[in-house]
Amino acid sequence: MTTILCIEDEPELREDIAEELASAGYDVKQARDGHEGLQMIINYKPSLVLCDITMPRKNGYQLLKEIRENYSIFAEMPFIFVSALADRERILAGLSDGADAYLTKPIDYELLLATVKASLRQIDRIKDNQKQQYVLDD
Amino acid sequence: MAARDITSRKKAEKELIRHRDHLQELVDAATADLNFKARELKRALEKEQELNELQRRFVAMASHELRTPLAIIDSSAQRLKRRLDNNELTAENVDKRVGKIRGAVQRMIRLIESTMSVARMDEGKLEVNFGPCNVAEVLKAACSSQQEISENHIISCELLDLPETIPADRRALEQVLANLLSNAVKYAAHAPVIDVTAFSAVSDVIISVQDYGIGIDADDLNRIGERFFRAKTSAGIEGTGIGLNLVKTLVEMHDGTLKVESERDKGSKFIIRIPITRQLRQEPTEKGQARLF
Protein backbone atom coordinates (compact mmCIF):
# COMPACT_ATOMS: atom_id res chain seq x y z
CA MET A 1 0.00 0.00 0.00
CA THR A 2 1.26 3.50 -0.81
CA THR A 3 2.22 5.43 2.32
CA ILE A 4 1.53 9.15 2.56
CA LEU A 5 2.78 11.32 5.40
CA CYS A 6 0.55 14.23 6.44
CA ILE A 7 2.34 16.94 8.46
CA GLU A 8 -0.13 19.45 9.94
CA ASP A 9 -0.25 21.16 13.33
CA GLU A 10 -4.03 21.69 13.35
CA PRO A 11 -5.36 18.36 14.72
CA GLU A 12 -8.83 18.83 13.20
CA LEU A 13 -7.46 19.31 9.71
CA ARG A 14 -4.78 16.64 10.08
CA GLU A 15 -7.40 14.06 11.04
CA ASP A 16 -9.65 15.07 8.13
CA ILE A 17 -6.86 14.91 5.55
CA ALA A 18 -5.81 11.52 6.92
CA GLU A 19 -9.43 10.28 6.81
CA GLU A 20 -9.87 11.45 3.21
CA LEU A 21 -6.62 9.80 2.07
CA ALA A 22 -7.39 6.59 3.97
CA SER A 23 -10.83 6.44 2.30
CA ALA A 24 -9.03 6.69 -1.04
CA GLY A 25 -6.98 3.60 -0.13
CA TYR A 26 -3.70 5.09 1.09
CA ASP A 27 -1.79 4.16 4.22
CA VAL A 28 -1.55 7.47 6.11
CA LYS A 29 0.95 8.52 8.76
CA GLN A 30 0.48 11.76 10.70
CA ALA A 31 3.00 14.21 12.16
CA ARG A 32 2.24 17.33 14.25
CA ASP A 33 5.08 19.57 13.04
CA GLY A 34 8.16 19.63 10.83
CA HIS A 35 10.38 18.23 13.54
CA GLU A 36 8.19 15.17 14.04
CA GLY A 37 7.67 15.04 10.26
CA LEU A 38 11.39 14.65 9.55
CA GLN A 39 11.65 11.71 11.96
CA MET A 40 8.66 10.04 10.33
CA ILE A 41 10.04 10.57 6.82
CA ILE A 42 13.24 8.84 7.94
CA ASN A 43 11.37 6.04 9.74
CA TYR A 44 8.57 5.33 7.25
CA LYS A 45 10.06 6.50 3.92
CA PRO A 46 6.64 7.60 2.62
CA SER A 47 5.90 7.72 -1.09
CA LEU A 48 4.63 11.29 -0.78
CA VAL A 49 4.51 14.10 1.82
CA LEU A 50 1.70 16.60 2.35
CA CYS A 51 2.99 19.40 4.51
CA ASP A 52 1.62 22.56 6.13
CA ILE A 53 3.92 25.61 6.21
CA THR A 54 3.15 27.54 9.42
CA MET A 55 4.01 25.10 12.20
CA PRO A 56 5.86 25.26 15.52
CA ARG A 57 9.38 23.89 16.08
CA LYS A 58 10.14 23.35 12.36
CA ASN A 59 8.05 24.96 9.64
CA GLY A 60 7.34 23.55 6.19
CA TYR A 61 10.00 25.62 4.41
CA GLN A 62 12.67 24.51 6.89
CA LEU A 63 11.67 20.86 6.56
CA LEU A 64 11.67 20.95 2.75
CA LYS A 65 15.09 22.66 2.71
CA GLU A 66 16.51 20.05 5.07
CA ILE A 67 15.10 17.17 3.02
CA ARG A 68 16.29 18.55 -0.31
CA GLU A 69 19.76 19.50 1.00
CA ASN A 70 20.64 16.64 3.37
CA TYR A 71 18.61 13.60 2.32
CA SER A 72 19.29 12.76 -1.31
CA ILE A 73 17.61 9.35 -0.82
CA PHE A 74 14.30 11.25 -0.71
CA ALA A 75 15.04 13.29 -3.86
CA GLU A 76 12.22 11.60 -5.78
CA MET A 77 9.66 11.78 -2.97
CA PRO A 78 6.97 14.30 -4.00
CA PHE A 79 6.59 17.06 -1.43
CA ILE A 80 3.32 19.01 -1.54
CA PHE A 81 2.60 22.13 0.50
CA VAL A 82 -0.93 22.52 1.89
CA SER A 83 -1.13 25.99 3.39
CA ALA A 84 -3.42 28.85 4.40
CA LEU A 85 -0.73 31.20 3.05
CA ALA A 86 -2.61 31.60 -0.17
CA ASP A 87 -1.14 34.66 -1.88
CA ARG A 88 0.56 34.32 -5.27
CA GLU A 89 4.01 35.31 -3.95
CA ARG A 90 3.91 32.59 -1.29
CA ILE A 91 2.82 29.96 -3.80
CA LEU A 92 5.61 30.95 -6.20
CA ALA A 93 8.15 30.97 -3.35
CA GLY A 94 7.02 27.52 -2.16
CA LEU A 95 7.31 26.04 -5.65
CA SER A 96 10.67 27.66 -6.35
CA ASP A 97 11.95 26.33 -3.00
CA GLY A 98 11.41 22.82 -4.34
CA ALA A 99 7.81 21.84 -3.55
CA ASP A 100 6.22 19.70 -6.27
CA ALA A 101 2.79 21.28 -5.79
CA TYR A 102 1.17 23.93 -3.60
CA LEU A 103 -2.44 23.56 -2.45
CA THR A 104 -4.23 26.24 -0.47
CA LYS A 105 -6.64 26.05 2.46
CA PRO A 106 -9.61 25.67 2.57
CA ILE A 107 -8.68 22.34 1.01
CA ASP A 108 -10.57 21.08 -2.00
CA TYR A 109 -10.32 17.34 -1.33
CA GLU A 110 -11.01 16.35 -4.94
CA LEU A 111 -8.14 18.55 -6.04
CA LEU A 112 -5.96 17.18 -3.23
CA LEU A 113 -6.60 13.57 -4.27
CA ALA A 114 -6.06 14.39 -7.96
CA THR A 115 -2.76 16.16 -7.14
CA VAL A 116 -1.60 13.24 -5.01
CA LYS A 117 -2.48 10.75 -7.77
CA ALA A 118 -0.75 12.83 -10.47
CA SER A 119 2.40 13.20 -8.37
CA LEU A 120 2.55 9.47 -7.64
CA ARG A 121 1.94 8.66 -11.33
CA GLN A 122 4.84 10.88 -12.28
CA ILE A 123 7.13 9.06 -9.83
CA ASP A 124 5.99 5.70 -11.24
CA ARG A 125 6.84 6.88 -14.77
CA ILE A 126 10.30 8.02 -13.63
CA LYS A 127 10.90 4.64 -11.95
CA ASP A 128 9.69 2.75 -15.05
CA ASN A 129 12.04 4.79 -17.24
CA GLN A 130 14.91 4.06 -14.88
CA LYS A 131 14.13 0.32 -15.00
CA GLN A 132 14.00 0.36 -18.81
CA GLN A 133 17.29 2.23 -18.86
CA TYR A 134 18.91 -0.45 -16.71
CA VAL A 135 17.57 -3.16 -19.05
CA LEU A 136 18.93 -1.31 -22.09
CA ASP A 137 22.28 -0.74 -20.38
CA ASP A 138 22.57 -4.45 -19.57
CA MET B 1 48.94 115.77 3.89
CA ALA B 2 45.20 115.70 4.00
CA ALA B 3 43.36 113.86 6.72
CA ARG B 4 39.99 112.27 6.12
CA ASP B 5 37.37 111.64 8.68
CA ILE B 6 36.65 107.91 8.43
CA THR B 7 34.49 107.71 11.51
CA SER B 8 31.31 107.30 9.50
CA ARG B 9 32.93 104.57 7.32
CA LYS B 10 34.17 102.70 10.37
CA LYS B 11 30.75 103.04 11.89
CA ALA B 12 29.14 101.67 8.72
CA GLU B 13 31.62 98.79 8.64
CA LYS B 14 30.90 97.99 12.25
CA GLU B 15 27.20 98.11 11.55
CA LEU B 16 27.71 95.82 8.56
CA ILE B 17 29.68 93.33 10.68
CA ARG B 18 26.96 93.44 13.32
CA HIS B 19 24.34 92.79 10.64
CA ARG B 20 26.42 89.99 9.14
CA ASP B 21 26.90 88.37 12.56
CA HIS B 22 23.23 88.73 13.32
CA LEU B 23 22.39 87.24 9.96
CA GLN B 24 24.82 84.38 10.62
CA GLU B 25 23.14 83.79 13.99
CA LEU B 26 19.76 83.74 12.27
CA VAL B 27 21.04 81.31 9.62
CA ASP B 28 22.64 79.10 12.30
CA ALA B 29 19.44 79.10 14.35
CA ALA B 30 17.32 78.33 11.28
CA THR B 31 19.74 75.56 10.24
CA ALA B 32 19.67 74.04 13.74
CA ASP B 33 15.89 74.26 13.73
CA LEU B 34 15.74 72.64 10.28
CA ASN B 35 18.14 69.89 11.34
CA PHE B 36 16.06 69.25 14.45
CA LYS B 37 12.87 69.14 12.38
CA ALA B 38 14.54 66.85 9.83
CA ARG B 39 15.58 64.47 12.61
CA GLU B 40 12.08 64.61 14.10
CA LEU B 41 10.58 63.97 10.67
CA LYS B 42 12.97 61.05 10.11
CA ARG B 43 12.03 59.57 13.48
CA ALA B 44 8.30 60.04 12.74
CA LEU B 45 8.77 58.46 9.30
CA GLU B 46 10.63 55.49 10.76
CA LYS B 47 7.90 55.06 13.40
CA GLU B 48 5.23 55.27 10.69
CA GLN B 49 7.08 52.74 8.54
CA GLU B 50 7.44 50.41 11.54
CA LEU B 51 3.72 50.77 12.30
CA ASN B 52 2.83 50.16 8.64
CA GLU B 53 5.00 47.03 8.64
CA LEU B 54 3.36 45.82 11.88
CA GLN B 55 -0.08 46.49 10.42
CA ARG B 56 0.82 44.74 7.17
CA ARG B 57 2.00 41.72 9.16
CA PHE B 58 -1.16 41.86 11.26
CA VAL B 59 -3.40 41.83 8.17
CA ALA B 60 -1.44 38.89 6.72
CA MET B 61 -1.61 36.97 10.00
CA ALA B 62 -5.30 37.80 10.55
CA SER B 63 -6.15 36.60 7.06
CA HIS B 64 -4.16 33.42 7.68
CA GLU B 65 -5.84 32.98 11.08
CA LEU B 66 -9.28 33.31 9.50
CA ARG B 67 -8.45 30.86 6.72
CA THR B 68 -7.57 28.05 9.13
CA PRO B 69 -10.97 27.81 10.90
CA LEU B 70 -12.63 28.30 7.51
CA ALA B 71 -10.59 25.35 6.25
CA ILE B 72 -11.81 23.27 9.22
CA ILE B 73 -15.45 24.18 8.51
CA ASP B 74 -15.11 23.49 4.79
CA SER B 75 -13.27 20.25 5.46
CA SER B 76 -16.03 19.07 7.79
CA ALA B 77 -18.67 19.95 5.20
CA GLN B 78 -16.83 17.98 2.51
CA ARG B 79 -16.33 14.98 4.82
CA LEU B 80 -20.02 15.02 5.81
CA LYS B 81 -21.05 15.08 2.15
CA ARG B 82 -18.65 12.25 1.30
CA ARG B 83 -20.00 10.07 4.12
CA LEU B 84 -23.57 10.89 3.13
CA ASP B 85 -22.89 9.97 -0.50
CA ASN B 86 -21.33 6.67 0.60
CA ASN B 87 -24.14 5.91 3.07
CA GLU B 88 -21.59 5.95 5.89
CA LEU B 89 -23.03 8.84 7.90
CA THR B 90 -23.72 8.06 11.57
CA ALA B 91 -25.00 10.20 14.42
CA GLU B 92 -21.53 10.00 15.93
CA ASN B 93 -19.98 11.42 12.75
CA VAL B 94 -22.46 14.28 12.71
CA ASP B 95 -21.82 15.01 16.38
CA LYS B 96 -18.05 15.06 15.84
CA ARG B 97 -18.37 17.34 12.80
CA VAL B 98 -20.73 19.72 14.59
CA GLY B 99 -18.18 20.02 17.42
CA LYS B 100 -15.40 20.81 14.93
CA ILE B 101 -17.49 23.39 13.10
CA ARG B 102 -18.59 25.12 16.32
CA GLY B 103 -15.02 25.21 17.60
CA ALA B 104 -13.84 26.79 14.34
CA VAL B 105 -16.66 29.35 14.44
CA GLN B 106 -15.65 30.26 18.03
CA ARG B 107 -12.10 30.86 16.84
CA MET B 108 -13.30 33.17 14.09
CA ILE B 109 -15.64 35.08 16.42
CA ARG B 110 -12.81 35.55 18.92
CA LEU B 111 -10.49 36.95 16.27
CA ILE B 112 -13.15 39.27 14.87
CA GLU B 113 -14.14 40.52 18.34
CA SER B 114 -10.51 41.14 19.34
CA THR B 115 -9.88 43.04 16.10
CA MET B 116 -13.01 45.15 16.59
CA SER B 117 -12.06 45.88 20.20
CA VAL B 118 -8.57 46.97 19.16
CA ALA B 119 -10.09 49.25 16.50
CA ARG B 120 -12.39 50.75 19.16
CA MET B 121 -9.38 51.15 21.44
CA ASP B 122 -7.57 53.17 18.75
CA GLU B 123 -10.58 55.45 18.37
CA GLY B 124 -10.76 55.87 22.15
CA LYS B 125 -14.17 54.23 22.04
CA LEU B 126 -13.42 51.03 23.93
CA GLU B 127 -15.80 51.05 26.86
CA VAL B 128 -16.17 49.06 30.03
CA ASN B 129 -19.49 49.29 31.78
CA PHE B 130 -19.25 48.30 35.40
CA GLY B 131 -21.98 46.27 37.00
CA PRO B 132 -22.20 43.55 39.65
CA CYS B 133 -20.41 40.64 37.99
CA ASN B 134 -20.44 37.07 39.30
CA VAL B 135 -16.81 36.26 38.61
CA ALA B 136 -17.13 32.58 39.59
CA GLU B 137 -19.93 32.11 37.07
CA VAL B 138 -17.96 33.86 34.31
CA LEU B 139 -14.88 31.75 35.05
CA LYS B 140 -16.80 28.46 35.04
CA ALA B 141 -18.53 29.38 31.75
CA ALA B 142 -15.23 30.41 30.12
CA CYS B 143 -13.48 27.17 31.18
CA SER B 144 -16.40 25.05 30.06
CA SER B 145 -16.66 26.83 26.70
CA GLN B 146 -12.92 26.37 26.04
CA GLN B 147 -13.08 22.73 27.19
CA GLU B 148 -15.89 22.08 24.70
CA ILE B 149 -13.69 23.07 21.76
CA SER B 150 -10.36 21.75 23.12
CA GLU B 151 -11.02 18.08 23.61
CA ASN B 152 -7.31 17.24 23.75
CA HIS B 153 -6.83 19.43 26.84
CA ILE B 154 -7.96 19.10 30.45
CA ILE B 155 -8.93 22.47 31.88
CA SER B 156 -9.13 22.40 35.67
CA CYS B 157 -10.90 25.30 37.34
CA GLU B 158 -10.30 25.86 41.06
CA LEU B 159 -12.24 28.70 42.64
CA LEU B 160 -11.64 29.65 46.28
CA ASP B 161 -13.43 32.21 48.48
CA LEU B 162 -14.60 34.46 45.71
CA PRO B 163 -16.97 37.33 46.50
CA GLU B 164 -20.47 36.85 45.14
CA THR B 165 -19.98 39.72 42.74
CA ILE B 166 -17.30 42.26 41.85
CA PRO B 167 -17.82 45.53 39.99
CA ALA B 168 -16.71 44.61 36.49
CA ASP B 169 -17.80 44.56 32.87
CA ARG B 170 -18.95 40.98 32.35
CA ARG B 171 -18.44 41.09 28.57
CA ALA B 172 -14.90 42.44 29.00
CA LEU B 173 -14.07 39.81 31.61
CA GLU B 174 -15.37 37.08 29.29
CA GLN B 175 -13.14 38.45 26.52
CA VAL B 176 -10.11 38.53 28.85
CA LEU B 177 -10.64 34.92 29.97
CA ALA B 178 -11.41 33.63 26.47
CA ASN B 179 -8.14 35.13 25.22
CA LEU B 180 -6.08 33.75 28.11
CA LEU B 181 -7.61 30.28 27.82
CA SER B 182 -7.31 30.01 24.05
CA ASN B 183 -3.67 31.15 24.33
CA ALA B 184 -3.01 28.51 26.99
CA VAL B 185 -4.36 25.80 24.69
CA LYS B 186 -2.60 27.18 21.60
CA TYR B 187 0.83 27.51 23.18
CA ALA B 188 0.66 24.14 24.96
CA ALA B 189 -0.38 21.86 22.10
CA HIS B 190 1.59 18.92 23.54
CA ALA B 191 0.94 19.61 27.26
CA PRO B 192 -2.73 18.89 27.90
CA VAL B 193 -3.22 20.29 31.41
CA ILE B 194 -4.39 23.88 31.90
CA ASP B 195 -4.85 25.09 35.50
CA VAL B 196 -7.19 27.96 36.20
CA THR B 197 -7.41 29.29 39.75
CA ALA B 198 -9.16 32.25 41.31
CA PHE B 199 -9.28 33.57 44.86
CA SER B 200 -9.73 36.79 46.84
CA ALA B 201 -6.74 38.51 48.44
CA VAL B 202 -7.42 41.59 50.63
CA SER B 203 -8.88 44.02 48.11
CA ASP B 204 -8.44 42.09 44.84
CA VAL B 205 -9.66 39.03 43.02
CA ILE B 206 -6.68 37.14 41.63
CA ILE B 207 -7.20 34.92 38.59
CA SER B 208 -4.43 32.83 37.09
CA VAL B 209 -4.31 30.75 33.92
CA GLN B 210 -1.38 28.38 33.79
CA ASP B 211 -0.19 26.19 30.93
CA TYR B 212 2.83 23.87 30.71
CA GLY B 213 3.69 24.52 27.08
CA ILE B 214 6.38 26.33 25.12
CA GLY B 215 6.76 29.24 27.57
CA ILE B 216 8.31 32.66 26.93
CA ASP B 217 11.98 33.72 27.02
CA ALA B 218 12.97 36.03 29.89
CA ASP B 219 13.97 38.85 27.52
CA ASP B 220 10.50 38.82 25.92
CA LEU B 221 8.52 38.89 29.18
CA ASN B 222 8.43 42.66 29.65
CA ARG B 223 7.10 43.14 26.09
CA ILE B 224 4.11 40.83 26.59
CA GLY B 225 0.96 42.89 26.14
CA GLU B 226 2.51 45.26 23.57
CA ARG B 227 0.38 45.63 20.46
CA PHE B 228 1.40 43.18 17.69
CA PHE B 229 4.30 41.82 19.78
CA ARG B 230 4.86 38.07 19.53
CA ALA B 231 7.38 36.19 21.65
CA LYS B 232 10.23 34.34 19.93
CA THR B 233 8.90 31.01 21.18
CA SER B 234 5.64 31.56 19.24
CA ALA B 235 7.39 31.25 15.85
CA GLY B 236 5.36 28.99 13.57
CA ILE B 237 2.23 29.27 15.72
CA GLU B 238 -0.61 31.33 14.33
CA GLY B 239 -1.34 34.60 16.10
CA THR B 240 -1.75 38.32 15.52
CA GLY B 241 -0.27 39.86 18.67
CA ILE B 242 -3.46 41.72 19.58
CA GLY B 243 -5.03 39.31 22.09
CA LEU B 244 -2.81 40.03 25.09
CA ASN B 245 -2.70 43.74 24.25
CA LEU B 246 -6.49 43.73 24.54
CA VAL B 247 -6.38 41.66 27.75
CA LYS B 248 -3.91 44.11 29.34
CA THR B 249 -5.98 47.13 28.28
CA LEU B 250 -9.27 45.68 29.53
CA VAL B 251 -7.72 44.65 32.86
CA GLU B 252 -6.17 48.10 33.29
CA MET B 253 -9.54 49.71 32.53
CA HIS B 254 -10.73 47.81 35.62
CA ASP B 255 -7.78 49.36 37.54
CA GLY B 256 -6.29 45.89 37.59
CA THR B 257 -2.95 44.44 36.55
CA LEU B 258 -1.69 41.68 34.26
CA LYS B 259 1.45 39.78 35.27
CA VAL B 260 3.24 36.96 33.45
CA GLU B 261 5.52 34.31 34.90
CA SER B 262 7.12 32.07 32.33
CA GLU B 263 10.09 30.00 31.30
CA ARG B 264 10.92 28.52 27.89
CA ASP B 265 9.65 24.93 27.55
CA LYS B 266 8.16 25.03 31.07
CA GLY B 267 4.96 26.98 30.39
CA SER B 268 3.39 30.32 31.27
CA LYS B 269 1.23 31.64 34.07
CA PHE B 270 -0.87 34.75 33.40
CA ILE B 271 -2.09 36.40 36.59
CA ILE B 272 -4.70 39.13 36.64
CA ARG B 273 -5.70 41.18 39.67
CA ILE B 274 -9.01 43.02 39.68
CA PRO B 275 -10.13 45.23 42.58
CA ILE B 276 -13.13 43.98 44.55
CA THR B 277 -14.40 47.50 45.22
CA ARG B 278 -14.41 50.62 43.09
CA GLN B 279 -14.43 54.33 43.73
CA LEU B 280 -17.65 55.99 42.67
CA ARG B 281 -16.19 58.29 40.01
CA GLN B 282 -14.14 56.99 37.13
CA GLU B 283 -11.91 59.13 34.98
CA PRO B 284 -11.67 58.24 31.32
CA THR B 285 -8.53 56.16 30.69
CA GLU B 286 -6.00 56.82 27.97
CA LYS B 287 -7.23 54.04 25.70
CA GLY B 288 -10.93 54.05 26.36
CA GLN B 289 -13.77 55.01 28.60
CA ALA B 290 -14.57 53.48 31.95
CA ARG B 291 -18.12 53.96 33.12
CA LEU B 292 -19.88 53.22 36.36
CA PHE B 293 -23.56 52.60 36.58
Side-chain angles (χ1 to χ4, degrees), chain B residues 57-76:
Chain B
R57 266 171 32 203
F58 167 74
V59 171
M61 284 309 291
S63 129
H64 182 255
E65 269 220 68
L66 280 173
R67 267 181 180 269
T68 303
L70 271 177
I72 294 170
I73 294 167
D74 186 57
S75 174
S76 283

Side-chain angles (χ1 to χ4, degrees), chain A residues 113-124:
Chain A
L113 289 177
T115 308
V116 164
K117 263 188 200 169
S119 296
L120 292 171
R121 248 193 339 256
Q122 197 175 4
I123 293 304
D124 286 344

Side-chain angles (χ1 to χ4, degrees), chain A residues 5 37-46 49 67 74 77:
Chain A
L5 174 64
L38 179 61
Q39 287 310 309
M40 294 186 83
I41 289 172
I42 295 165
N43 293 344
Y44 293 103
K45 298 175 182 57
V49 172
I67 292 285
F74 298 119
M77 176 187 73

Side-chain angles (χ1 to χ4, degrees), chain B residues 8-20:
Chain B
S8 60
R9 207 182 81 195
K10 284 281 178 197
K11 208 174 163 185
E13 276 175 7
K14 220 171 170 181
E15 188 64 13
L16 204 63
I17 288 168
R18 199 179 64 78
H19 271 299
R20 190 197 63 195

Side-chain angles (χ1 to χ4, degrees), chain B residues 10-263:
Chain B
K10 284 281 178 197
K11 208 174 163 185
E13 276 175 7
K14 220 171 170 181
E15 188 64 13
L16 204 63
I17 288 168
R18 199 179 64 78
H19 271 299
R20 190 197 63 195
D21 288 350
H22 180 61
L23 206 62
Q24 187 62 48
E25 275 169 23
L26 285 176
V27 169
D28 286 349
T31 308
D33 191 40
L34 268 175
N35 283 339
F36 175 75
K37 282 181 176 151
R39 279 196 301 274
E40 288 281 291
L41 206 65
K42 192 167 172 261
R43 263 198 294 273
L45 190 68
E46 280 168 0
K47 208 172 169 187
E48 186 70 21
Q49 281 169 338
E50 191 187 345
L51 195 68
N52 279 345
E53 175 56 20
L54 285 171
Q55 278 173 344
R56 189 196 63 74
R57 266 171 32 203
F58 167 74
V59 171
M61 284 309 291
S63 129
H64 182 255
E65 269 220 68
L66 280 173
R67 267 181 180 269
T68 303
L70 271 177
I72 294 170
I73 294 167
D74 186 57
S75 174
S76 283
Q78 289 183 71
R79 291 298 306 152
L80 276 173
K81 176 82 170 65
R82 182 69 57 100
R83 281 189 177 271
L84 188 68
D85 290 348
N86 297 344
N87 286 322
E88 291 170 347
L89 197 59
T90 63
E92 195 192 337
N93 294 143
V94 174
D95 200 41
K96 186 179 150 194
R97 293 289 157 197
V98 167
K100 282 189 175 196
I101 291 169
R102 293 198 63 206
V105 169
Q106 281 302 316
R107 272 172 72 168
M108 291 174 73
I109 288 175
R110 208 167 285 163
L111 177 63
I112 291 164
E113 281 185 349
S114 294
T115 311
M116 296 301 290
S117 296
V118 168
R120 282 198 295 273
M121 198 194 301
D122 285 347
E123 291 167 7
K125 288 179 182 167
L126 186 66
E127 287 186 353
V128 285
N129 298 307
F130 291 95
C133 175
N134 185 331
V135 71
E137 196 181 278
V138 174
L139 269 160
K140 280 183 208 160
C143 289
S144 147
S145 163
Q146 187 65 49
Q147 184 66 78
E148 212 175 296
I149 56 174
S150 308
E151 53 184 32
N152 296 326
H153 284 81
I154 303 153
I155 301 172
S156 90
C157 185
E158 193 179 359
L159 313 178
L160 303 163
D161 284 339
L162 288 172
E164 207 165 297
T165 61
I166 62 165
D169 182 323
R170 187 188 173 101
R171 186 72 204 91
L173 201 55
E174 282 169 354
Q175 224 172 344
V176 164
L177 293 169
N179 267 295
L180 292 179
L181 284 165
S182 64
N183 274 356
V185 166
K186 183 162 72 170
Y187 296 113
H190 307 319
V193 176
I194 309 289
D195 288 322
V196 179
T197 59
F199 58 94
S200 306
V202 195
S203 54
D204 296 325
V205 161
I206 299 172
I207 302 167
S208 71
V209 177
Q210 165 125 45
D211 69 67
Y212 303 91
I214 58 168
I216 301 162
D217 288 332
D219 60 338
D220 278 346
L221 277 178
N222 59 353
R223 294 196 64 193
I224 294 297
E226 269 181 34
R227 173 89 59 95
F228 302 130
F229 175 75
R230 301 204 68 217
K232 288 188 282 298
T233 46
S234 70
I237 301 173
E238 286 183 15
T240 53
I242 59 169
L244 283 175
N245 176 246
L246 179 64
V247 166
K248 189 167 182 278
T249 305
L250 289 173
V251 169
E252 285 171 356
M253 287 170 84
H254 283 77
D255 294 329
T257 57
L258 169 72
K259 202 177 126 197
V260 194
E261 293 169 1
S262 187
E263 204 179 324

